[in-house]
Amino acid sequence: MNSPDLPTQFARTHRYAFGVPRGFTVSRDGARVLFVRSTAGDDPVSRLWLYEVGAEAGEEGEGGSGDAGGSGDEGGSRGAGESGGEAVSGAERMLADPLALGASGPVPEAERVRRERAREASQGVVSFATDDYARVVAFAVSGALWTVRTDGGAPRRIGTPGPVVDPRPSPDGSLIAYVSRGAMRVVGADGTGDRALAEPEGEEVTYGLADHVAAESMDRHRAFWWSPDGDALLVARVDTARVQRWWLSDPERPERPPRSVPYPAAGTDNAETTLHLLRTDGSRVAVRTPSKAPEEASHTSRISHTSHAAAPARGDAEPAWTDTAFDYVPRVSWDAHGPLVTLQTRDQRTACVLEVDPESGECRLVDQQHESPWLDLVPSTPARLADGTPVLHRLVDPDTAGLCAGGTRTPPGLHVRGVLATTGDRVWLTASEEPTETHVWSFSAAGEPDGPVRTAAPVRLSQGRGVHTAAVGGDTVVLDSRTPDGHTVTVLRGGRPVGRIAVLSEEPVVNPKPRHLTLGERAVRGMLFLPSWHEQGSGKLPVLLCPYAGPSLQLVVHARGWWTVVAQWFAEQGFAVLIADGRGTPGRGRAWEHEVYGDQLTPVLDDQVDAVRAAAELVPDLDLERVGIRGWSFGGYLAAGAVLHRPDVFHAAVAGAAPSDLRLYDTHWKERFLGHPDVQPAHYERCSLVAHAHRLSRPLMLVHGLSDDNVLPVHTLRLSSALLAAGRPHTVLPLPGASHLVAREDVAANLLNLELDFLKKSLNA
């Protein structure tokens, strides 16, 4: 059966991401909400928008982050109650249209890298920042600095001596800080007084820019923070002199020189990140962070927990690896109580939270945690309440990641995904009771910090199955909800809905109808997609698995995402499509995630095997003699590993951007799961695709973007070379100019069709 032309729509809408509002910032008083969004589902140019809560505004409150990044989410569609591409409440107002500004030109290299780390494919205004009350907004377009006031007036271009990256107003809106050519600069919001607060001492040094590992693997995309008074900045200085250089060229344009990429592969040196207090008067103080973790914690907040899965039984004794040097700066903030810095050790088992004296740069230990086999980083933790009480990531039982604020902690069984905001003594967070759903919760941490620990009774704000998140300021909450029916954004004031922000993404031409399943003895969560035209018992269907199944990402959720639309499209071509989240995926507790320590392939692959067999028991029409698998990034790695190691189950695979030699991936990501390659080489050998290339006996297509600086093309080239040396036939599809996220419309559309053709031929489907 021929389905509508989904590949073309999928590519034209960039996975249904165009037209989706994102980057929400709520003013401290809750009166204004800012966000970016394009004007339609096929419009790649993002504009800056204001939603005025207006007459519903109450008294000024505390809270709100005061800035927003442009990382963006992928997927989504118009939510229930919205139609015709118009805002429900009519309270939206466009603040800046880059097309009307006449802004054009190349994006600065530092901004291009920032967007690549954030998987940003839109054009125009893709990120912005505001003062505390969201009255002054700063953004950059094609390296030019622009500001606009939310109380009226046209956008204003501010002249700068060089291209601008990541501009951010001071809390009172009087100054704009930005990065230009690796220098940290400030300029008055009126365009006067532009000056450098710190300039790079060499070609390998930058101020105010996150290094590769921080942005790619620690989810820290920014590298400078204003003081509450606006008289100083806490700035990260990054020196990549000791980081090995890799060279990426464009084979389509051999006349262009290759570009140098400082990439810290597993077992090699990281960038050196130091923190500095730069005052607007030109003075400067270095933050005196410790070089390594203390042997013992200074107080009872220390955690020592070893998952029962930390040492999988494989019959081979391997040495332990410990490195207590503080190589990583995963979290930094600055609130009314001063700067707060988190340092993490190279072995990722220990983290220390430090308060910084903004006058002297001296540090005081606030908290230390230790967890084996690794310590997870929870987004936006640590945070602080209005009275300065820290909100810390904790294990509230041996298997539940929770929060502790003074004498209050979240209950066991509520797996905290991240902190959204704090307002007064209230903490706003995302958390899951069931791994296929994420909801917005809040709880009061009022109580005596030195009294007995009490368990909070969090209140759930979001309703209905789905994946929900929020932005908070004052008593305004912007609830961003993805459900099985689509995507809605609701504005609440004082807990009461006061309007909606329009979601303008296109409605998919294929409507996914997954059947949610719990599979096998390990209760693996899965989704099964069948052709809409198939009648049970009418014939056998070839099976196609479409997993990611790796750390930090779930696909099996009660929400419509681009991957569910694509899965249904493959189903309409005659496949039974299965997506399963096995061990190593988030949301099911520490033991579940830690099962992959030392071996990121075998447990994950075993769960895919168990899932497809269990699904076939529930739905007999699944043909286990014709099973294919496709995936991208970790999913591509899993797909290739499936046909190498389990050809008895998997009969064909498409592996996109697969990290085939894990020694070549970055330090923070790979050493977390596999340790140091020089100390624990067996971990890397066990998980290597290259080392097992000789085992291939099934059709395999390898796909890779030749401009990918996350999983570099060398991964696929080395795997292909090893397959060729072993005499194993395979297909290689290079994508010139494509990065880790395939953004070019014709390439993205045709790639789906080529995958379909390969799988149909390979499985005789």
Side-chain angles (χ1 to χ4, degrees), residues 20 73-76 465-468 480-484 486-487 558-559:
V20 175
D73 295 323
E74 297 174 353
R465 285 184 162 181
V467 175
H468 307 264
D480 191 343
S481 301
R482 298 172 187 268
T483 71
H487 188 180
H558 282 281

Side-chain angles (χ1 to χ4, degrees), residues 62-63 131 213 307 404 449 493 554 585 628 631 744 746 755 763:
E62 296 181 29
D131 64 340
V213 164
S307 164
C404 182
R493 195 76 193 262
Q554 291 175 265
T585 55
R744 205 170 104 181
D746 55 348
E755 289 185 55
L763 298 174

Side-chain angles (χ1 to χ4, degrees), residues 101 139 145-149 153-158 188-192:
L101 297 178
F139 59 94
L145 174 60
W146 293 82
T147 63
V148 64
R149 293 191 61 88
R156 174 185 179 182
R157 180 170 178 176
I158 295 180
D190 60 0
T192 63

